[in-house]
Amino acid sequence: MSKLTPEIEKLREARRAARRRRPARAVRICTTGCRALGALEVHAAFERELAAAGLTDKVALLKTGCQGICAGAPVIGVDPEGILYLGAKPEDVPEIVRTTLVGGAVVERLCFQGRQGPIPKRVDIPFFAVQKPLVLARCGRIDPTSIESALADGSYEMLERALTGMEPEAVIAEITASGLRGRGGAGFPTGRKWSATRAAPGELKYLICNADEGDPGAFMDRAVVEGDPHAVLEGLLIAAHAIGARQGYVYVRAEYPIAIEHLKLAIAQAREHGLLGDNILGTGMAFDVKIKAGAGAFVCGEETALLASIEGKRGQPRTRPPFPAQSGLWGKPTCINNVETLANIAPILRMGGAVYAGLGTPTSKGTKIFALAGKVKYTGLVEVPIGITMNQLVNDIGGGVPAGSAFKAAQMGGPSGGCVPARYLDMPIDYETVKEVGAIMGSGGLIILDGATCMVDLARYFMDFCAKESCGKCPPCRIGTTRMLEILTRICAGEGKPEDIARLEELGGQVKKNSLCGLGQTAPNPVLTTIRHFRSEYEAHVNERRCPAAVCRRLIGFKILPEKCICCGRCAKACPVPCIAGKIGKAPARATEQDRENGKVGEPFAIQSALCIKCGACFDICPVAAIEKK
Amino acid sequence: MVRLTIDRRAIEAQPGQTIMQAAQDNGIQIPHLCHEPRLIPTGACRLCQVHVGALDRPPVLACATPVSEGIEVVTESPELAARRKLILELLLSEHRVACTTCDADGECVLQDLAYRYDAREWTYGTFPHSEPVPLNYTSENRAIEYDLEKCVRCGRCVRFCDEVQGACALTFDSRGIGARINTAYGRPLHQSDCELCGGCVRVCPTGAMREKAARGLGRRKDLTRVRTTCTYCGVGCTMELNVNPRLNRIARVTTEPGMGSNDGNLCVKGHFAFDFVNSPERLTKPLIRENGSFREAGWQEAIARASQGLAAARDQYGPEGLAFLSSARCTNEENYLMQKLARMAGKTNNVDQCATTCHAPTVAGLALSLGSGAMTNAIGEIKNVQTLFLIGANPTEAHPIVGLEMKKAMRKGARLIVCDPRDTWMARHAQIHIKHRPGTDNMLVNAMMNHILAANLHDQAFVAERCERFDALCENVKDYTVARAAEVCGVDAELIRRAAEWYAKGAPSAIFYTLGITEHTCGTENVQNLANLAMLCGQIGKESSGINPIRGQNNVQGACDMGAINTVLTGYQKVSDEAVRAKFAKAWGGALPANPGGRVTDFIEKAEAGELKAFYVLGEDPVLSEPNQAKVIESLKKLDFLVVQEIFMTETAKLADVILPATCFAEKDGTFTNTERRVQRVRKAVEPPGEARPDWRILCDMSTAMGYPMNYVGASEIFDEIAALTPSFGGISYERIDKLGLQWPCPTRDHPGTGFLHKGRFTRGKGLMHAIRHRPPAEEPDAAYPFMLSTGRTLYHYNIGNMTRKTASIAQKQNENFVELHRLDAERLGIADGGLARVSTRRGSLVIRAHVGDKVRPGGLWMPFHFVESVTNKLTNDAFDNITRTAEYKCCAARIEDAGAPRA
């Protein structure tokens, strides 16, 4: 244990200075995830308008990471009022400056629209009400490219505490007491992983942050690295202290360029502040971090494949034993933690393991970030205590399924996960319960499905993903996923055979049992859970050649209901074949005598089904829902 | 020992062994496709799942799970069978089930397992297969065919190429169902880093990787496997010739781990270079020169003519009038008969073989220093060497299987020091590469010893106890400071110091050298100096520690052991020793000659001088292999009578009066002795072509016709005679070496053979240290010939090339002579990489392709000597070692100039 060093004093002084400079009046624009929806243009507009209004010095304009409610991109926070503006365009900026920053009033049309009208303040918005942001606390508040911004918000305080007041064993004890489980998906107790690596013999140990977030729809790790990279570094440093690692890697997918950019900056800044290197904060601790950009293979999120990839080998998993804690990167003891796991470390030390363990359920402690997506009103990133119900997530936070449809199921855990049907809405979401119904917590991807989703097609989609992402090393996964995909494709095409469902179950079970790594061991989950909970949909496909959700093209037909057709002809125009014929004019039912005389009466349009390619263009364009799909 | 049960059988295993290894050691076959004993477990095929403990717990992989005390392993259960069947059916769903036409039928693991688990090929749909094989990286290659549709993606080939061979030519490409084997960037195999070792074929569990040339030549049940010893370099790999008796053809070559020192490995020559056996160019009838050309003759006439010619020279000119060149390519038995024939029928000690061309300085130098001239350690000891000291050796090309053993040591953390003027594979992978000027070895070694003595790193107890003339050594190396050596050798002084320290401190260190040391005018001195270095540091006479010449030919060790040398009889019993002569005279029924005899290089000079009149050449081609070809031809033409016993019409044979068609290694029985002194069996696998006869039979007939009757029923009888007359071979018999050879000395029937030499005591008693001065090469670069030319071997060809060059797949890899030169020199002289260059020496000139790079030093040139159409030995210098008359192939002055643009 080290004493206070001059370097720590210096860091503290830097933090105090940063806090003194922290602005009260600030506009925070998410420019990471929201960049795709014009956040940078909005930021530029703010720069212009603030200058024009002479407010440049009075209002701090911050580019932040994700603020959570992605449905409202670009998301703009205005402080100190705590106002949240959603979906603003550059042309809205003058009004915001004029009304809010100058006038002190709210632009209501850009606020969250609640049931009883606009809700200007973030704290009042139901989307945030149930959340418990520990990991995401700084995300969306600080400027992730500025270490001062992070320091002012408490970054590295827990590292200081660990280095000055806690033996490695004490850190591990605290993490063990917190009950933290790996947030990457498998849920292995972090404290146990750390003790195993600490106990492994060897001078040189590696610590790896797994930021190879590959599940379609999951983006919490990306948000953390982009929005608060120092949280990852602080977690790594504390972990390195605990397990005695000398070298760290962040394995981040190349598809996350902003994350890589922010992380690079953060590493450089941390090094400048003596937080990385041979003598960290003057305590004699040596640790450094390198970034390794992955090349886009899903399987490289699997830890042994990730190790191979860092070593410059083909990203393929290997069999265990030996476990990475004994023989990992280049044969040295290695600890691999996911981004969210590492970002939990400082909050745990801050609140104490016991308090943290008070959050969540008896077996699943703390908070979990979910990427809420799909057929829900407010999509985005939410951090909630584990054990919250699906109902709370979907309805209280997500605002429910949009009108006109109903919640059918939630797909949890991406391609490795499964579907949780509506009857489990009140199920608490924790590692064990989710597993019982056939899904997994996984990394926290949560896709809400409504009646318009065909479960067979969904299973086919995920199986296609897994078959393409299988590394090809072991036959059950390499061939098994492809054979399952073939069966699913056949069923969706209306060519299913009576024995196909049983074959999928048998094959799926064997692929799970026999595969080498987590990819293959979980790849059948979407299929098996949809069969389990939605068997009738499979049977309809196979036995009746019918897709109940009217999604599988080969099994559906479009028909124009003549009594509803208004003879507008848009369907015929949209038809790419074309196979729709009729006459534009007034609908016969509504035509007047005069129309008849003037020859302005149309003829209802009709589809020549033999030619129809079932693209659905007519269905989508029809203004009066005169086209039936079934 | 760890005790466990497998299928209720109590067994004991080594700690650290996997369940798979323990099971295999006990004859329990756990199904697998990806496991291979030489490779790191990968757990890919999932077939080796076994229960440990309760049957309802998830099974574990036998290949990756270490044994532990008391576990109960169950290898078969309904659950495991269901799992295996599923995996096999998935594999079959994409497999071209074409066992009817598959070369691997009967030795295909997939076939066997599918049968065992009743896996059907149609359960998960049949795959639309293409015919012929879909194009891939092997399509244009002549050696190996990869059939994706028979591949189970076990990755054995990729891992072998990486983990054993270190070539890293193969990789997996694509992923998921599209995963397949490929080269980097999909380059054709022969343009990739592939070394054609054939390892991918040997480890493939199905018919996915096969030799193209073996297509249709037989399946497992059509082939007879004949265990024999490779006919190429001195490593002496144990291999099995897979012979189709119906076709009298060798279909392919196989070998298995544990079968010999090569432990399942072969190089390109062992695996692929046997097409010569069946070549239409083989000699099939005796030929007699008549009116300037050859005519076919019967054996009786040919033997009569040949014996008369030899006997006439003997009778007219005495023992110096005729000479016999025995062959390191032939068996021990044949070499024994040849020297017996020379001495008893020819009545002369003028008998030699190609050791003079290569390792004679080893035999002489080590005999002087230590008392016996052979590799002191066994090949199997190499993997445990901690500091490998290579000087003038290029094992990955010239002795590839020894190279593999060194790679094993390196993987275990051994340090590698390479002293070589050229960037060999080993040099590129060495921690220390001393790229010294050719011909400065003694300067370098003396400086190392100077530094070792100065730093007090020598093994004083060892020197005091086991060596003599230490003072002379100390006195001698005083002048050889590291600074001076750095200057003369042209290398960094620090490297010399560090190499000396590492070698001295290595625990253990071992020296390996080959012809880079011996083929010098100071060759014997070079060898003696390496012996000095080993003795000084006490790095000899221990397991994995010693001085190791790696012999060049399959049986050059044996040819020397058999007394096909003018000065010694079998087992290095000195001709000059009265008692020895008496013993042999009694056994052989006649007096032995007492003339001093000479070496092959002497024979050529004496022919030139008109003193040698008749010459009997057995399986050698001095016209190609001796230096200064023009002079060799001129000399041989002066002979009255030349007999050549050969398998091909060689350049020497073209000068002969009688040519006798002989058999190659695959057509006769006998023994070869490899570089580690291991006497190993050679077995007849195919019938010889035409009227060709085994050499031992021809020698018997010849001797009989010359008046000294020889009669043996077979090779075994000859060997027993050798064993009876040779103390170091006394305990060896065909019966004892049926499976695995024995390393001499093996004096008695119950002696296990000798792994490493000089344990506790040198053969000569005390090790003799010599004061060796540095002497420059006979010819050094000057204004007219400013380059230093060295010659050597490549991986793909063997010596004069008349065997390896018969294999098309090897020709595709390397089929023409070339010269390596440094890019700075090339730039200066305007020579393009791949362009033609004229290389000239005072003796001749050749136009060949230039390989420009930085393998050689600036001012250096390097050429192979495998190409009859472009004879490198037209250029080499006929200057000889002062003791053994070995030529200085490694150094001569040369000139190089541009000779044209690259061919299109």
Side-chain angles (χ1 to χ4, degrees):
Chain A
M1 207 182 325
S2 308
K3 295 241 161 55
L4 274 189
T5 61
E7 288 84 352
I8 293 178
E9 274 308 328
K10 213 173 130 196
L11 183 72
R12 288 184 176 177
E13 182 45 44
R15 184 179 293 115
R16 284 192 289 270
R19 280 188 176 143
R20 282 195 296 273
R21 284 197 298 271
R22 190 155 54 166
R25 163 61 82 207
V27 171
R28 297 183 155 86
I29 307 171
C30 165
T31 54
T32 54
C34 290
R35 191 177 294 190
L37 284 149
L40 288 177
E41 290 75 10
V42 170
H43 182 269
F46 264 106
E47 271 184 340
R48 273 197 312 274
E49 295 302 321
L50 289 176
L55 291 173
T56 306
D57 297 336
K58 299 194 179 69
V59 178
L61 182 61
L62 270 74
K63 288 179 175 174
T64 74
C66 181
Q67 301 187 19
I69 185 159
C70 306
V75 180
I76 301 161
V78 183
D79 289 318
E81 296 89 339
I83 298 170
L84 210 57
Y85 287 130
L86 305 177
K89 304 221 156 7
E91 52 269 32
D92 299 323
V93 173
E95 189 184 351
I96 298 174
V97 171
R98 202 170 53 239
T99 310
T100 308
L101 298 177
V102 178
V106 171
V107 183
E108 291 197 337
R109 67 180 178 86
L110 295 173
C111 293
F112 183 93
Q113 303 299 314
R115 288 204 182 90
Q116 274 89 41
I119 306 175
K121 293 202 175 176
R122 180 185 161 103
V123 290
D124 301 328
I125 299 172
F127 181 85
F128 296 104
V130 203
Q131 293 200 43
K132 175 81 185 158
L134 296 179
V135 170
L136 295 175
R138 276 193 296 265
C139 193
R141 290 174 44 79
I142 60 162
D143 173 357
T145 63
S146 155
I147 194 170
E148 285 75 22
S149 181
L151 285 172
D153 232 339
S155 276
Y156 300 109
E157 276 177 345
M158 293 305 111
L159 174 68
E160 283 173 32
R161 185 189 292 175
L163 290 185
T164 54
M166 297 176 84
E167 293 290 352
E169 290 78 6
V171 176
I172 294 176
E174 203 67 35
I175 298 304
T176 307
S178 78
L180 178 66
R181 294 169 67 172
R183 297 293 190 241
F188 190 82
T190 306
R192 259 170 60 197
K193 201 182 251 187
W194 286 15
S195 344
T197 317
R198 172 154 194 87
E203 267 290 286
L204 181 58
K205 291 175 188 173
Y206 290 103
L207 173 63
I208 295 169
C209 170
N210 184 349
D212 191 58
E213 187 174 47
D215 286 357
F219 56 102
M220 56 287 295
D221 292 345
R222 167 181 170 177
V224 172
V225 180
E226 286 179 349
D228 190 8
H230 291 286
V232 179
L233 292 184
E234 187 175 7
L236 277 170
L237 280 157
I238 297 170
H241 169 64
I243 65 179
R246 287 235 306 272
Q247 178 66 49
Y249 282 87
V250 180
Y251 187 89
V252 52
R253 51 200 324 236
E255 294 92 327
Y256 285 177
I258 303 174
I260 293 174
E261 180 195 326
H262 288 185
L263 196 59
K264 270 188 187 160
L265 264 175
I267 290 172
Q269 291 164 347
R271 201 171 283 132
E272 267 173 37
H273 281 74
L275 291 159
L276 291 172
D278 291 338
N279 184 15
I280 291 170
L281 293 179
T283 62
M285 173 181 169
F287 183 69
D288 216 326
V289 176
K290 286 181 188 164
I291 299 174
K292 167 79 188 173
F298 178 65
V299 75
C300 286
E302 197 281 340
E303 59 181 14
T304 57
L306 185 152
L307 293 175
S309 176
I310 293 181
E311 289 175 357
K313 298 177 185 154
R314 178 178 162 89
Q316 278 190 333
R318 63 160 173 77
T319 185
R320 281 159 288 204
F323 291 91
Q326 279 88 50
S327 175
L329 192 61
W330 289 299
K332 306 289 182 212
T334 302
C335 175
I336 301 152
N337 287 130
N338 152 273
V339 170
E340 191 183 335
T341 312
L342 288 168
N344 263 296
I345 301 306
I348 289 171
L349 294 194
R350 193 179 293 277
M351 65 170 55
V355 178
Y356 184 92
L359 292 164
T361 69
T363 53
S364 307
K365 315 288 192 188
T367 63
K368 175 79 194 87
I369 308 177
F370 291 97
L372 195 56
K375 299 293 175 59
V376 66
K377 221 164 162 187
Y378 307 114
T379 55
L381 273 193
V382 300
E383 183 176 358
V384 292
I386 301 181
I388 190 174
T389 66
M390 184 67 78
N391 195 16
Q392 283 175 293
L393 262 178
V394 175
N395 291 317
D396 298 353
I397 295 176
V401 175
S405 193
F407 176 82
K408 181 176 184 180
Q411 207 285 339
M412 291 193 70
S416 312
C419 283
V420 181
R423 65 175 177 277
Y424 294 113
L425 259 180
D426 290 322
M427 172 191 90
I429 299 176
D430 62 54
Y431 288 97
E432 282 70 28
T433 316
V434 171
K435 203 174 167 191
E436 271 169 36
V437 299
I440 60 165
M441 279 277 263
S443 55
L446 192 62
I447 301 168
I448 308 304
L449 312 167
D450 68 0
T453 309
C454 169
M455 303 312 276
V456 186
D457 183 59
L458 180 86
R460 188 199 55 75
Y461 168 81
F462 280 116
M463 191 48 76
D464 183 53
F465 179 88
C466 289
K468 282 183 177 138
E469 292 295 342
S470 165
C471 76
K473 181 167 174 174
C474 72
C477 176
R478 181 173 65 79
I479 314 173
T481 54
T482 295
R483 296 293 168 259
M484 289 182 77
L485 175 63
E486 284 166 1
I487 297 172
L488 289 163
T489 306
R490 181 159 86 206
I491 295 176
C492 287
E495 293 160 6
K497 299 174 191 169
E499 69 273 20
D500 275 351
I501 301 174
R503 176 144 293 171
L504 279 175
E505 286 177 311
E506 191 211 334
L507 191 48
Q510 289 283 6
V511 170
K512 273 172 77 100
K513 280 197 288 192
N514 287 303
S515 289
L516 168 58
C517 82
L519 199 164
Q521 287 161 7
T522 58
N525 284 350
V527 180
L528 296 177
T529 57
T530 49
I531 294 179
R532 178 170 157 193
H533 299 304
F534 300 94
R535 181 177 284 269
S536 63
E537 285 197 33
Y538 280 84
E539 287 167 349
H541 281 75
V542 173
N543 302 333
E544 303 164 34
R545 306 281 187 246
R546 184 172 65 83
C547 174
V551 170
C552 297
R553 271 191 200 152
R554 296 276 298 276
L555 298 182
I556 56 172
F558 291 92
K559 191 183 165 200
I560 301 174
L561 303 172
E563 65 278 12
K564 284 194 180 172
C565 178
I566 57 167
C567 305
C568 67
R570 289 187 209 180
C571 54
K573 235 182 225 172
C575 179
V577 174
C579 65
I580 305 179
K583 186 182 167 204
I584 296 174
K586 278 249 171 115
R590 284 199 239 152
T592 59
E593 203 56 35
Q594 207 183 349
D595 294 333
R596 285 201 183 87
E597 280 168 20
N598 299 342
K600 285 188 175 167
V601 183
E603 280 169 28
F605 282 73
I607 299 171
Q608 242 183 300
S609 42
L611 297 177
C612 175
I613 58 164
K614 296 164 186 174
C615 68
C618 56
F619 181 85
D620 293 338
I621 207 160
C622 177
V624 295
I627 302 180
E628 191 184 61
K629 176 166 82 167
K630 65 177 185 184
Chain B
M1 277 296 180
V2 179
R3 279 160 304 177
L4 65 153
T5 69
I6 299 183
D7 296 336
R8 297 199 181 158
R9 226 177 95 191
I11 63 168
E12 290 194 332
Q14 303 288 339
Q17 271 195 319
T18 61
I19 293 173
M20 177 73 84
Q21 288 165 336
Q24 288 187 332
D25 286 356
N26 288 277
I28 299 165
Q29 295 304 319
I30 299 174
H32 61 268
L33 280 166
C34 68
H35 171 78
E36 215 285 341
R38 286 163 288 182
L39 306 177
I40 300 166
T42 184
C45 76
R46 320 303 294 164
L47 288 167
C48 71
Q49 299 181 70
V50 293
H51 299 290
V52 172
L55 295 189
D56 53 357
R57 280 175 47 194
V60 300
L61 292 187
C63 72
T65 309
V67 292
S68 47
E69 185 64 32
I71 56 169
E72 294 173 0
V73 178
V74 175
T75 70
E76 286 293 351
S77 72
E79 170 66 19
L80 294 176
R83 288 176 180 230
R84 289 171 186 155
K85 180 172 177 172
L86 177 279
I87 292 164
L88 291 165
E89 288 187 335
L90 286 175
L91 287 170
L92 290 170
S93 76
E94 59 162 12
H95 190 84
R96 170 156 40 168
V97 184
C99 305
T100 43
T101 54
C102 185
D103 286 324
D105 176 48
E107 53 185 345
C108 170
V109 183
L110 182 65
Q111 190 185 46
D112 293 347
L113 292 177
Y115 187 83
R116 178 165 160 191
Y117 291 99
D118 193 28
R120 310 297 166 104
E121 56 265 35
W122 59 81
T123 309
Y124 292 103
T126 40
F127 190 70
H129 294 292
S130 358
E131 184 71 47
V133 172
L135 292 182
N136 61 57
Y137 69 97
T138 61
S139 299
E140 296 166 34
N141 175 262
R142 294 178 190 162
I144 295 169
E145 177 166 80
Y146 170 59
D147 185 343
L148 172 71
E149 294 174 348
K150 289 178 183 170
C151 173
V152 292
R153 277 74 154 187
C154 63
R156 283 197 205 181
C157 51
V158 174
R159 289 182 291 138
F160 186 93
C161 197
D162 177 6
E163 295 169 19
V164 176
Q165 189 67 18
C168 304
L170 296 182
T171 180
F172 273 104
D173 174 18
S174 302
R175 60 191 182 201
I177 197 76
R180 59 194 174 135
I181 310 301
N182 205 344
T183 53
Y185 312 108
R187 279 184 299 191
L189 187 67
H190 51 281
Q191 288 165 21
S192 74
D193 291 335
C194 170
E195 295 167 358
L196 280 184
C197 70
C200 52
V201 176
R202 292 193 302 276
V203 297
C204 181
T206 71
M209 294 265 189
R210 305 301 281 182
E211 300 91 348
K212 280 191 178 169
R215 181 87 191 93
L217 289 185
R219 297 153 297 173
R220 184 72 191 89
K221 63 180 169 189
D222 306 321
L223 301 174
T224 309
R225 288 189 170 174
V226 181
R227 185 186 281 221
T228 190
T229 303
C230 179
T231 185
Y232 289 104
C233 78
V235 177
C237 295
T238 301
M239 51 160 62
E240 288 181 320
L241 302 177
N242 289 230
V243 176
N244 186 330
R246 181 174 61 83
L247 302 171
N248 191 35
R249 280 279 293 274
I250 302 169
R252 50 198 293 251
V253 173
T254 53
T255 183
E256 305 281 343
M259 221 179 231
S261 302
N262 50 315
D263 198 22
N265 301 321
L266 290 173
C267 75
V268 52
K269 298 179 282 274
H271 192 101
F272 286 105
F274 55 86
D275 287 5
F276 76 90
V277 175
N278 197 44
S279 165
E281 295 173 41
R282 284 287 298 274
L283 295 172
T284 56
K285 282 196 169 144
L287 299 171
I288 290 175
R289 179 181 296 280
E290 217 165 65
N291 307 323
S293 63
F294 290 111
R295 69 161 170 87
E296 291 181 354
W299 271 107
Q300 215 175 350
E301 184 191 1
I303 292 284
R305 175 73 78 88
S307 59
Q308 281 158 15
L310 295 171
R314 171 194 66 194
D315 297 342
Q316 196 173 343
Y317 302 103
E320 296 303 327
L322 78 171
F324 297 80
L325 188 58
S326 193
S327 176
R329 316 289 291 133
C330 288
T331 63
N332 284 323
E333 293 75 3
E334 287 155 353
N335 275 282
Y336 172 78
L337 292 193
M338 185 61 160
Q339 58 90 27
K340 187 177 178 186
L341 167 96
R343 290 182 164 121
M344 299 309 288
K347 300 190 190 307
T348 177
N349 280 316
N350 267 342
V351 60
D352 197 16
Q353 29 72 37
C354 71
T356 293
T357 313
C358 56
H359 262 300
T362 290
V363 177
L366 293 185
L368 288 168
S369 294
L370 314 174
S372 59
M375 183 161 167
T376 73
N377 298 105
I379 292 171
E381 294 169 28
I382 297 174
K383 58 180 174 290
N384 295 322
V385 177
Q386 191 265 336
T387 302
L388 296 155
F389 183 85
L390 272 63
I391 183 163
N394 183 12
T396 54
E397 296 209 55
H399 305 91
I401 304 307
V402 162
L404 293 188
E405 293 299 310
M406 291 177 179
K407 289 174 187 175
K408 278 187 197 165
M410 287 155 68
R411 266 181 226 109
K412 290 170 74 174
R415 294 196 290 199
L416 175 62
I417 304 166
V418 175
C419 308
D420 202 298
R422 212 167 145 243
D423 284 354
T424 59
W425 189 97
M426 283 288 170
R428 287 200 307 279
H429 291 79
Q431 284 88 349
I432 298 175
H433 177 202
I434 294 177
K435 199 171 178 177
H436 59 314
R437 285 197 185 95
T440 60
D441 304 285
N442 281 327
M443 178 57 75
L444 175 67
V445 173
N446 279 343
M448 283 176 65
M449 292 194 286
N450 175 305
H451 181 67
I452 287 165
L453 285 165
N456 225 11
L457 292 171
H458 56 295
D459 188 337
Q460 294 169 25
F462 185 92
V463 170
E465 215 175 285
R466 298 194 49 187
C467 307
E468 52 193 23
R469 296 202 61 215
F470 175 57
D471 295 345
L473 178 83
C474 293
E475 185 57 34
N476 181 56
V477 301
K478 263 185 194 158
D479 313 344
Y480 292 92
T481 61
V482 171
R484 183 179 159 210
E487 170 83 31
V488 173
C489 300
V491 296
D492 184 359
E494 188 48 37
L495 286 184
I496 301 177
R497 281 190 204 100
R498 209 185 314 151
E501 289 163 16
W502 283 14
Y503 173 75
K505 291 181 189 166
S509 296
I511 297 172
F512 298 89
Y513 71 88
T514 61
L515 309 188
I517 284 298
T518 59
E519 285 180 349
H520 288 283
T521 43
C522 55
T524 305
E525 292 168 354
N526 281 347
V527 172
Q528 288 171 310
N529 221 12
L530 290 176
N532 285 341
L533 177 64
M535 288 189 280
L536 181 66
C537 299
Q539 295 285 13
I540 190 164
K542 297 183 285 190
E543 189 164 337
S544 301
S545 175
I547 175 164
N548 297 293
I550 320 170
R551 302 301 294 259
Q553 279 90 353
N554 55 318
N555 199 34
V556 66
Q557 183 68 50
C560 295
D561 298 344
M562 290 302 105
I565 300 178
N566 58 334
T567 53
V568 293
L569 288 149
T570 61
Y572 306 96
Q573 301 174 81
K574 290 195 171 72
V575 172
S576 56
D577 185 328
E578 207 56 63
V580 168
R581 285 221 307 279
K583 176 172 90 175
F584 277 85
K586 191 176 167 211
W588 290 352
L592 269 68
N595 68 318
R599 300 277 191 165
V600 58
T601 37
D602 299 318
F603 302 160
I604 290 163
E605 283 186 354
K606 283 180 181 166
E608 163 76 23
E611 292 164 23
L612 185 74
K613 297 294 184 185
F615 195 20
Y616 184 1
V617 176
L618 168 61
E620 291 281 335
D621 189 6
V623 169
L624 283 188
S625 61
E626 295 307 311
N628 195 357
Q629 189 193 32
K631 199 173 139 192
V632 175
I633 294 174
E634 199 182 307
S635 308
L636 293 182
K637 278 184 174 164
K638 289 189 178 168
L639 290 167
D640 284 355
F641 195 70
L642 176 63
V643 181
V644 173
Q645 188 166 318
E646 254 301 347
I647 60 171
F648 287 113
M649 178 62 81
T650 60
E651 296 306 299
T652 306
K654 286 175 186 167
L655 305 174
D657 295 282
V658 178
I659 303 175
L660 304 172
T663 49
C664 74
F665 84 115
E667 296 152 354
K668 61 190 175 189
D669 286 299
T671 55
F672 291 158
T673 304
N674 77 350
T675 186
E676 58 170 352
R677 299 165 274 106
R678 192 181 295 277
V679 183
Q680 310 189 100
R681 276 303 311 274
V682 175
R683 289 185 177 87
K684 180 174 173 177
V686 288
E687 292 301 326
E691 294 171 24
R693 285 184 182 174
D695 296 83
W696 65 266
R697 273 194 60 197
I698 305 173
L699 292 169
C700 288
D701 292 348
M702 186 74 84
S703 184
T704 306
M706 285 174 72
Y708 179 76
M710 277 194 205
N711 244 314
Y712 297 92
V713 291
S716 163
E717 188 189 352
I718 306 170
F719 192 88
D720 290 344
E721 181 177 317
I722 298 166
L725 284 167
T726 315
S728 54
F729 280 66
I732 307 177
S733 67
Y734 275 26
E735 200 187 345
R736 285 192 74 190
I737 60 171
D738 186 51
K739 284 268 177 331
L740 194 63
L742 281 167
Q743 286 173 281
W744 66 257
C746 177
T748 56
R749 301 296 296 224
D750 52 1
H751 192 282
T754 307
F756 60 91
L757 297 179
H758 314 304
K759 184 180 182 179
R761 179 184 177 277
F762 287 109
T763 309
R764 75 178 287 281
K766 282 201 169 190
L768 183 61
M769 290 177 152
H770 294 90
I772 304 292
R773 308 297 295 176
H774 165 67
R775 284 194 290 125
E779 193 178 62
E780 287 208 281
D782 52 27
Y785 294 94
F787 284 83
M788 178 73 98
L789 169 67
S790 300
T791 68
R793 263 153 67 165
T794 74
L795 171 64
Y796 296 99
H797 288 294
Y798 187 79
N799 288 4
I800 61 160
N802 67 351
M803 291 157 77
T804 49
R805 292 193 70 202
K806 303 289 191 292
T807 296
S809 53
I810 295 178
Q812 193 181 29
K813 195 86 191 177
Q814 187 183 77
N815 203 28
E816 62 174 5
N817 204 358
F818 61 88
V819 56
E820 288 175 357
L821 77 158
H822 196 274
R823 71 165 55 100
L824 293 177
D825 294 326
E827 253 171 52
R828 189 165 49 79
L829 298 170
I831 298 171
D833 185 27
L836 294 176
R838 174 172 294 281
V839 182
S840 315
T841 67
R842 291 190 171 82
R843 294 152 293 278
S845 167
L846 287 176
V847 173
I848 50 176
R849 197 157 304 280
H851 288 186
V852 177
D854 43 19
K855 272 184 100 168
V856 294
R857 296 169 54 97
L861 301 176
W862 187 90
M863 289 170 63
F865 59 95
H866 307 305
F867 304 93
V868 64
E869 68 278 12
S870 170
V871 180
T872 300
N873 279 327
K874 282 181 179 166
L875 309 181
T876 46
N877 190 11
D878 48 341
F880 303 111
D881 177 51
N882 52 348
I883 296 167
T884 65
R885 307 279 294 151
T886 297
E888 192 155 55
Y889 293 99
K890 296 300 177 192
C891 297
C892 75
R895 188 170 65 219
I896 184 165
E897 57 224 326
D898 180 38
R903 253 184 273 153

